[in-house]
Amino acid sequence: MTAVIALTTSGIAEVTSIWMKCFLVLGVLHLSLELRLKNGSHRCEGRVDVKYQGIWRAMNDYGWNLKSAAVVCRQLECGDAVDNPGRSRFGSGDRSPMSLSFSCAGTESKVSDCHLFNFYIPSDYFRYAAGVVCSDNSQLRLVNGSGPCAGRVEILHQDSWGTICDDSWDLNDAHVVCRQLGCGEALDALLLAYFGKGSDSIWLDNVNCTGQESHLWKCPSQGWGQHNCYHGEDAGVICSGSVQLVGGDGPCSGQVEVHSGRDWTPVSGGNFTFPTAQVICAELQCGKAVSVLGGVPIRESDGRICAEEFRCEGQETNLLFCPRVPCPGCSCQHSGTVQIVCSAYTEVRIMKNGTSQCEGQVEINISGEWRMLCASHWTMANANVVCHQLGCGVAISTPRGAYFVEGGDQILKAQFHCSGAESFLWNCPMTALGIPDCSHGNTASVICSGNQTQVLPRCNDSVSEPAGPAASEESAANCSESRQLRLVDGGGRCAGRVEILHQGSWGTICDDSWDLNDAHVVCRQLGCGEALNATASAHFGQGSDPIWLDDVNCTGQESHLWKCPSRGWRQHDCWHKEDAGVICSEFLALRMVSEDQECAGWLEVFYNGTWGSVCNSPMGAMTLSTICRQLGCGDWGTLNPSVVLRGGSRPRWVDKIQCRNTDLSLWQCPSDPWKYRSCSPNEEAYITCAGMRPRSCPTAAPCTDKEKLRLRGGDTECSGRVEVWHNGSWGTVCDDSWSLAEAEVVCQQLGCGSALEALPEAAFGPGNGHIWLDEVQCRGRESSLWACAAGPWGQSNCKHEEDAGVRCSGKRTTLPTSKAGTRTSPNPVPGIFSLPGILCLILGALFFLVLIILATQLHRWRAEHRALSSFRDALDAAIYEEIDYLVTLKKEDLLSSPAQRTDAPREDYDDAEEVPVPEAHPASQMSKGEVPPEEENGTRASQTGSSLYFPRRAADPGKEKIAPGCSRGKKGTLGMMTLN
């Protein structure tokens, strides 16, 4: 209950003293009041407004004093009251005859503890609004950063903004700046005009804060205006911020959290308004709010949520400027959290003759500015999304430049890649990096049907493919494809496993007959340029659900993959391990190249099948932040211009990258067009991100490139299958382009001497797991394999049967001894099986074999020579008895045992060594009276197939004996010879 008094010019003095006591008693009944300051130059000065009975009312300056102003400053967390100006210095506020005022003792924590006056004023003469100027009057600001909580530090002193010199500038100083601005904690204290050079004054130098000061100018320094610096030494800071969005696709979407001074606290979803979301999006430089989702369940990791509710009107520049009230009845914890989505793209229109219609030039609003779109990559799918979004039915055609108006806004260098099923144009994938300038007048247009309920008929698959791209586009205008095409698990929209949406289900393609012609159709259909590779054997992982097509056999000219000849839908004999994939020329990848660091190094982008560097101009804080976030390396980064010039030759693909906070990745950032030589070698970007750390290794040993490379399956430590450590696991290298140059780099990196062989085709056995690298191309002088050109990590068209290997020269070492002093198990010795060693072993073995053969032959020759000499001696000394060789012995006599023989030689005969002779014919087969032929100067023993000749020796001419050396023939026959 409040009292109302009518005050007039003549009677105010009389009634003031009478009614003041009543007002003081009645005012304490008001339990909570919302406050705001309006029309000031910063959040802590302005007209004092109070929300009373649901209506914002300007506070009357009646009875207004510095004590009451102090309570206002304290409630708004603006420090102490410096001034309490009245007489509507910051505007008069509302024109209501009812006015409010209050009186405070100066010790209260909030205005609701003071005494409220609510009275009636009939004349404008007394309708003056109260104002306040608090000590924390935003005399500090951050300039040229990615938002209000990052940038060059500037102080307003003597009505002039000036900078701070970076002498002695550190995190303690930065902590004071961030806390004073309500921007959370300091993340980095930056030197050397990182956010650009300031102008005018340099106010402070050698600032030396402890980190606990309430204001930067309360820290020790040389004094105002005392310095020995120039603006190239301006100091900067990066703060965590007062508000952030977490858990979304980027910094412009996710759960709302505010910094409480110690940590981040989620904001309650209860009574959260759309204007509050607009203020947050604007503060984060994220465009406008497009959606708000309240009542999101609280995660355990969130802890308690903010105990206040924000009541923004939507015009505030910072969430801290918005009125805040305690959650009624501690309801914040039960209201859940809130998630919002901001976007730079919030409106689209079709313009013709200056008015918005369903036919004309397509324009999009980006952060409050209308921009035209280029027709170069404008498709019927994009046009259908626009028509549907505007309630204009479906797209009929897309005439290029037909509605262009001279003098219009700049053409947006961005390409949308809609499938046609999106609800809004900005929900489609978009790329802007490297997009060339649009030719004059080549603007995107669309003619919609105008009928909101009309839909295009389904395309008839039986219709033959029209000739030429123009006919293909025309056919697309007259029907709607129910099928869609996508690439999955390739790291981008232009590489991956090929999948088709058919009959409501996504399915894969079998790799039988899959080649570049098929891949060309896929890449062109998706607007991804030309095909670089047609992968097979589930290179991008195995799919699931149906295998829709098999034996696809495109000519390369078809407009859609399903218009190529094939077996037919779901007709196949494949498994998902045969899923087909593609890599297109527009596939993009990003990496940092460094020998010993993660999240720091030379920035490289993969474009048109080749890794190349990125130029560093002008690459501001927002661009660096986008790059680091994309690589999972933290929320900010810095350029390092002092690194040594990089050696080697490579493309320098792109320059003039300028990312915005709404860009979810580097690919969405505007830049100059792709160019092989976009800048000079000394302008290549070397970036250090917040998440910089030593390279992760599989062991706890110090991390080096040598430890992330190994050889396996070889016969020494310096030979084997090449394996590299990446992304937490070991993988192999494909042998495509593998040569001695690459092997030399591997051997040198491992300390294994020079390369002897570069071995392809899994010479040391196939590996397992990932094939991390393909098309590695070294010059042979690189310090590590990572410095060589190669395809993107994990992207190859190889199988493990193509794993690369090396054999290095290595060094011979002795085997280690065990604790007992004996040699350990026979581990291979490095270098003992090098190529020269192997050649020596082979030649030595051959030489040894030749020696063995020669020694064997010599031994046999000597044995035969001794046998022949003995036989000749026996012939000379023998005394032979005459034997009638024509007498045929009976078979039983010939077969009788030696003991029964009667023709044994007498004891006076000398034994002679038996000489083996070829088999003789049985004596019975010789004709009676047949005499062995005689030759002059010798005798001959007649045997089948061979003859032995001996010189005539002196003997008893009247005697003929059986030579002791005669042997028995086969089947009981006896080989005979006659000597005359």
Side-chain angles (χ1 to χ4, degrees), residues 533 539 721-724 731-739 742-743 746 758-763 767 769-778 785 789-806:
N533 201 344
H539 175 77
R721 179 179 60 254
V722 180
E723 294 188 355
V724 295
T732 61
V733 178
C734 182
D735 62 9
D736 293 346
S737 303
W738 193 251
S739 66
E742 291 74 43
V746 170
L759 300 166
E761 297 179 353
H770 294 282
I771 300 177
W772 280 130
L773 292 175
D774 188 15
E775 296 291 351
V776 180
Q777 295 181 355
C778 306
L785 194 64
W793 285 98
Q795 306 294 325
S796 74
N797 60 347
C798 306
K799 300 179 181 179
H800 280 296
E801 287 74 14
E802 301 171 79
D803 287 343
V806 300

Side-chain angles (χ1 to χ4, degrees), residues 192-460:
L192 300 174
Y194 177 82
F195 292 102
K197 297 179 181 180
S199 58
D200 301 325
S201 304
I202 298 177
W203 283 127
L204 296 176
D205 188 15
N206 282 316
V207 177
N208 189 18
C209 303
T210 65
Q212 304 303 316
E213 294 83 354
S214 60
H215 297 78
L216 184 64
W217 40 85
K218 292 184 179 181
C219 300
S221 69
Q222 290 187 193
W224 292 103
Q226 303 299 314
H227 66 88
N228 59 352
C229 307
Y230 71 106
H231 281 295
E233 302 171 79
D234 286 344
V237 299
I238 297 177
C239 307
S240 59
S242 59
V243 61
Q244 66 178 7
L245 303 179
V246 298
D249 293 332
C252 293
S253 65
Q255 177 176 285
V256 181
E257 294 183 353
V258 294
H259 202 277
S260 62
R262 293 184 177 180
D263 51 17
W264 290 99
T265 306
V267 171
S268 169
N271 300 317
F272 190 90
T273 63
F274 200 80
T276 303
Q278 294 287 21
V279 171
I280 293 173
C281 292
E283 178 179 348
L284 295 176
Q285 297 185 358
C286 287
K288 295 184 179 181
V290 294
S291 70
V292 176
L293 178 62
V296 179
I298 301 173
R299 300 170 300 185
E300 292 184 5
S301 59
D302 290 335
R304 295 186 61 83
I305 64 177
C306 182
E308 293 181 313
E309 293 179 353
F310 293 88
R311 303 291 176 84
C312 303
E313 290 187 341
Q315 305 303 318
E316 297 86 349
T317 59
N318 194 296
L319 186 65
L320 297 178
F321 299 169
C322 296
R324 288 174 286 179
V325 297
C327 290
C330 299
S331 62
C332 288
Q333 197 71 19
H334 305 288
S335 301
T337 62
V338 61
Q339 296 179 353
I340 67 174
V341 177
C342 310
S343 176
Y345 310 102
T346 55
E347 294 180 83
V348 65
R349 67 185 183 185
I350 302 174
M351 298 297 293
K352 179 182 180 183
N353 298 327
T355 61
S356 180
Q357 303 182 23
C358 289
E359 171 186 347
Q361 181 174 270
V362 180
E363 298 179 2
I364 189 169
N365 190 302
I366 302 177
S367 301
E369 181 182 358
W370 287 100
R371 307 282 290 275
M372 298 176 289
L373 298 178
C374 187
S376 298
H377 285 75
W378 187 249
T379 65
M380 286 296 300
N382 297 342
N384 271 317
V385 172
V386 171
C387 292
H388 176 74
Q389 178 178 342
L390 296 177
C392 288
V394 297
I396 302 300
S397 63
T398 56
R400 296 189 175 191
Y403 303 92
F404 174 70
V405 178
E406 290 287 350
D409 292 332
Q410 184 181 358
I411 299 176
L412 178 67
K413 292 203 309 181
Q415 298 175 358
F416 291 90
H417 311 281
C418 301
S419 66
E422 295 84 358
S423 300
F424 301 95
L425 183 62
W426 41 83
N427 289 345
C428 303
M430 186 271 286
T431 56
L433 188 73
I435 302 300
D437 294 329
C438 193
S439 59
H440 181 71
N442 188 28
T443 57
S445 301
V446 62
I447 299 176
C448 304
S449 65
N451 186 345
Q452 298 184 18
T453 60
Q454 180 179 351
V455 295
L456 290 176
R458 295 287 177 87
C459 295
N460 187 351

Side-chain angles (χ1 to χ4, degrees), residues 108 145 408 469 666 943:
E108 297 88 347
L666 184 65
Q943 301 223 352

Side-chain angles (χ1 to χ4, degrees), residues 802-817:
E802 301 171 79
D803 287 343
V806 300
R807 191 182 297 280
C808 310
S809 59
K811 294 182 180 180
R812 182 186 296 272
T813 59
T814 58
L815 289 172
T817 57

Side-chain angles (χ1 to χ4, degrees), residues 877-885 902-910 955-964 966 976-980:
I879 300 174
Y880 295 92
E881 293 181 355
E882 183 176 353
I883 300 173
D884 188 359
Y885 68 94
T902 58
D903 55 349
R906 296 193 305 268
E907 294 181 1
D908 55 346
Y909 287 133
D910 292 334
D956 188 353
K959 304 286 185 180
E960 287 185 354
K961 303 289 185 181
I962 299 177
C966 293
M976 310 291 290
M977 66 179 64
T978 301
L979 300 176
N980 292 332

